[in-house]
Amino acid sequence: SRSYSCRLQHWALLSVSLLNCLLSTACSVGLALAVALTVHSRGTHLVRGCNSSALPVDARAAIVTNDCPFNTTRIYDTALALWFPSLLLAAAEAVLSGRCCLVALVFQGIGPCAHSYGKEQVRPTGLI
């Protein structure tokens, strides 16, 4: 019973860490794409929803029109300032989730590192 519970926990750890690694990687790729498209277009994609012919080619130019539902003066810098830390944190989360997934595989006895950790070294501990 105890061994079954421990193996179930290891499989749950493997499943959750693999899912989180995939989601974090997808988030990192999406953020990197958003940053690349925004920098390449100089922010024009950020103000595309505004219906004004007065919008500049460069979104960093300060303009305020009534045709846009938000203030366009700082959208370029603000978007990049928020996306870069988010990108770094999502990438770090993907790496840590991948490492957690590898640990779960070692606990299951799967993978190249699993043979160096014998069953006697990775023993389930009792709950207090």
Side-chain angles (χ1 to χ4, degrees):
S1 170
R2 187 175 199 177
S3 175
Y4 175 75
S5 173
C6 189
R7 289 190 59 81
L8 185 63
Q9 289 175 354
H10 292 165
W11 281 111
L13 174 66
L14 177 64
S15 302
V16 170
S17 62
L18 183 62
L19 179 65
N20 192 44
C21 184
L22 292 173
L23 289 174
S24 298
T25 302
C27 186
S28 297
V29 169
L31 281 167
L33 183 62
V35 167
L37 288 174
T38 300
V39 170
H40 178 69
S41 70
R42 299 187 58 121
T44 57
H45 292 296
L46 297 173
V47 292
R48 183 163 284 166
C50 301
N51 298 323
S52 175
S53 59
L55 288 174
V57 174
D58 187 358
R60 298 178 86 175
I63 86 162
V64 178
T65 66
N66 290 333
D67 296 338
C68 199
F70 53 86
N71 185 351
T72 60
T73 55
R74 293 192 179 109
I75 190 166
Y76 182 80
D77 298 326
T78 303
L80 293 180
L82 292 173
W83 287 345
F84 276 120
S86 297
L87 176 61
L88 293 175
L89 289 173
E93 183 179 4
V95 168
L96 292 175
S97 294
R99 290 178 59 102
C100 188
C101 186
L102 289 175
V103 168
L105 286 173
V106 169
F107 282 163
Q108 289 296 333
I110 303 169
C113 298
H115 301 296
S116 63
Y117 293 100
K119 295 269 185 197
E120 65 277 359
Q121 289 177 338
V122 181
R123 240 180 278 150
T125 58
L127 298 175
I128 297 175

